[in-house]
Amino acid sequence: MANDASTVFDVVILGGGSGGYAAALRAAQLGLQVALIEKGELGGTCLHRGCIPTKALLHAAEVADETREAAQFGVRATFEGIDLPGVHKYKDDVIAGLYKGLQGLVASRKITYVTGEGRLSSPTSVDVAGQRYEGRHIVLATGSVPKSLPGLTIDGNRVISSDHALKLDYLPKSAVILGGGVIGVEFASVWKSFGVDVTIVEALPHLVPLEDEGSSKLLERAFRKRGIKFELKSRFSGVEYTESGVRVSTENGKQIDADVLLVAIGRGPVSQGLGYEEAGVAMDRGYVLVDEYLRTNVETISAVGDLVPTLQLAHVGFAEGILVAERLAGQRVVPIDYDGVPRVTYCNPEVASVGITEAKAKEIYGAEKIKVAKFNLAGNGKSKILKTAGEIKLVQVEDGAVVGIHMVGARMGEQVGEAQLIYNWEALPAEVAQLIHAHPTQSEALGEAHLALAGKPLHNHD
């Protein structure tokens, strides 16, 4: 195995997605010699097959809906249909611009970028195509891929994953989406706006089941209004090919015919056959186990991103990568409060949250100590202008801080920045109530909810 002085680094990072490249950029910024190894494209899932392309599709879907509904705003417009090649060009141009910028950024930090499939060969080395890269420390950041169920084969034709859905060269007339989590409801939202007849099949009692139940119910109401169908408490039992598509069966006896089945039940870690277990790294169901500082049980190895059992969000990967880089550079670091991470589902309407749910708060603190305030967006001028419905819900520990903020409505993802400051700085409702929000904005709704919780509601009923 080839090895020389040019392949010995302070940090060798295996995986160039959100967690890996964030670790590389910050480590290099702090003066460490860094090698970043990626078998595919720099930027990983988020840039090429996740966050960025899906949000581009969602924006195209929003434009389609606004064009159809232009008359209600006094604008004459004609909706002639979806130019799918044009949509893909728009999406791909966004990705290409960000990809070029990221490549330039990595090069500017003097990071040694290695293209190829890496394998952990020891607690201090990674092998790539016959070349060994030695590191004082190794960071594992090999990410995740779409999951399936036992016996359910994703063929890329009629049974597809989110990766395939992003590149479909046609619009199906109908689709079944298996899974009502973030990925499932976002694709349901896009496809409905593009004119596809959509049915979601979800085994749990609600859509976006990790969110507060109130948010789930508001989303379900909005989806019904949009004509998006869903079957809740329906466990998948099988799929068969029909003459023109698929027939999906559930354990409660229902059968749904459609052109395609999108399997959107989550993502699993990429770790098999990469030498992790041979190097002594502790694992569970394919995930690499880490402590609050992202350290594995092997002293010289850390792990970040979707590879570890934390929230599978790009911004979590960024934060984990930065934490590891700063720790390796000798800086004092603080463990991530994962409850304090903002979460956004970018369907129409958007679902955004930070902190814990009402149910979790009652479980932790006791039901008698929990106060809840809600502000309906019908009382917010900018939301009225946008013709969006929804709600902001606050969960507070009595005489204490706000521990949960849950929002449903158009553009709520843009409000979650202030919401995360409120949660992470342990703000009291009376303190937030003193802040003056610009009028008319949707951010006022967050202020109004805190006014209500502080006992002095303005534009809502007592």
Side-chain angles (χ1 to χ4, degrees):
M1 184 67 64
N3 187 201
D4 57 45
S6 66
T7 57
V8 178
F9 300 87
D10 293 315
V11 189
V12 175
I13 301 167
L14 182 54
S18 301
Y21 84 68
L25 290 172
R26 184 61 177 138
Q29 192 177 52
L30 293 171
L32 301 181
Q33 294 296 311
V34 181
L36 178 60
I37 300 165
E38 169 57 48
K39 69 176 181 179
E41 298 163 306
L42 182 63
T45 294
C46 170
L47 177 54
H48 300 281
R49 298 173 298 283
C51 322
I52 299 302
T54 54
K55 278 55 187 178
L57 291 183
L58 281 156
H59 182 62
E62 182 183 3
V63 172
D65 288 335
E66 288 182 346
T67 305
R68 283 191 194 93
E69 299 160 6
Q72 66 179 318
F73 302 103
V75 177
R76 294 175 182 172
T78 303
F79 178 75
E80 297 181 2
I82 301 299
D83 172 15
L84 198 56
V87 170
H88 284 313
K89 182 181 185 305
Y90 154 66
K91 165 179 66 70
D92 294 342
D93 285 350
V94 171
I95 294 169
L98 292 170
Y99 183 36
K100 184 177 180 181
L102 182 57
Q103 288 172 307
L105 188 57
V106 166
S108 73
R109 297 278 174 89
K110 305 296 189 291
I111 293 165
T112 298
Y113 184 70
V114 181
T115 301
E117 187 163 357
R119 187 178 190 278
L120 189 65
S121 49
S122 81
T124 56
S125 64
V126 175
D127 293 349
V128 185
Q131 180 72 53
R132 176 157 293 171
Y133 296 84
E134 295 274 355
R136 180 173 58 85
H137 202 93
I138 306 293
V139 179
L140 305 178
T142 43
S144 64
V145 290
K147 288 196 301 188
S148 188
L149 295 172
L152 176 55
T153 301
I154 296 176
D155 61 19
N157 180 16
R158 298 189 194 182
V159 181
I160 63 176
S161 71
S162 57
D163 288 356
H164 303 115
L166 286 169
K167 295 185 176 181
L168 274 186
D169 58 3
Y170 72 99
L171 278 176
K173 291 181 180 178
S174 57
V176 173
I177 298 177
L178 180 57
V182 173
I183 297 170
V185 299
E186 287 188 352
F187 272 102
S189 191
V190 168
W191 277 347
K192 183 62 182 179
S193 297
F194 285 177
V196 180
D197 182 29
V198 180
T199 304
I200 302 170
V201 174
E202 170 57 53
L204 294 174
H206 291 290
L207 298 179
V208 287
L210 297 182
E211 294 291 341
D212 189 88
E213 187 175 320
S215 294
S216 296
K217 289 179 177 178
L218 286 169
L219 179 63
E220 289 159 12
R221 183 188 307 167
F223 270 21
R224 286 190 195 97
K225 190 173 180 180
R226 291 186 61 194
I228 298 173
K229 294 169 282 190
F230 46 90
E231 299 287 340
L232 303 176
K233 299 182 184 178
S234 295
R235 297 185 68 86
F236 171 85
S237 63
V239 60
E240 58 183 298
Y241 283 7
T242 61
E243 186 175 330
S244 59
V246 293
R247 177 169 295 134
V248 177
S249 301
T250 63
E251 288 184 0
N252 54 11
K254 292 194 175 181
Q255 292 187 325
I256 308 163
D257 287 349
D259 292 343
V260 296
L261 168 64
L262 169 59
V263 181
I265 59 169
R267 300 180 64 86
V270 175
S271 58
Q272 190 172 7
L274 295 179
Y276 297 172
E277 289 167 314
E278 291 89 330
V281 176
M283 304 180 70
D284 179 33
R285 296 171 294 116
Y287 290 100
V288 171
L289 299 179
V290 293
D291 65 9
E292 68 270 29
Y293 294 102
L294 288 311
R295 298 176 297 200
T296 72
N297 62 309
V298 179
E299 186 179 2
T300 55
I301 300 177
S302 298
V304 299
D306 287 0
L307 183 63
V308 301
T310 55
L311 293 171
Q312 290 186 328
L313 299 169
H315 45 289
V316 167
F318 295 149
E320 291 175 343
I322 291 168
L323 186 154
V324 168
E326 292 181 346
R327 173 170 57 78
L328 296 180
Q331 296 196 349
R332 178 180 176 273
V333 294
V334 177
I336 296 167
D337 174 6
Y338 290 98
D339 287 334
V341 172
R343 305 170 295 272
V344 187
T345 303
Y346 296 88
C347 51
N348 178 19
E350 291 183 351
V351 181
S353 63
V354 65
I356 59 178
T357 64
E358 179 183 353
K360 187 69 175 177
K362 288 178 176 177
E363 178 186 320
I364 294 172
Y365 301 103
E368 71 284 356
K369 292 185 179 180
I370 296 303
K371 291 179 64 178
V372 172
K374 299 178 183 179
F375 183 80
N376 194 306
L377 294 185
N380 175 254
K382 188 60 180 285
S383 297
K384 204 77 170 174
I385 290 166
L386 295 172
K387 291 186 176 290
T388 186
E391 177 182 275
I392 290 179
K393 173 180 176 178
L394 306 179
V395 181
Q396 178 202 12
V397 179
E398 190 173 21
D399 298 325
V402 172
V403 296
I405 301 174
H406 306 278
M407 307 183 283
V408 178
R411 304 184 184 180
M412 286 298 106
E414 302 302 322
Q415 312 308 317
V416 82
E418 182 181 3
Q420 74 153 335
L421 292 178
I422 291 167
Y423 172 86
N424 285 294
W425 285 349
E426 300 179 351
L428 301 175
E431 293 171 331
V432 182
Q434 292 180 46
L435 303 176
I436 300 171
H437 293 78
H439 175 78
T441 64
Q442 287 187 291
S443 68
E444 283 181 287
L446 194 54
E448 293 261 11
H450 283 84
L451 282 167
L453 201 52
K456 48 180 183 181
L458 184 59
H459 289 106
N460 63 345
H461 298 287
D462 294 346

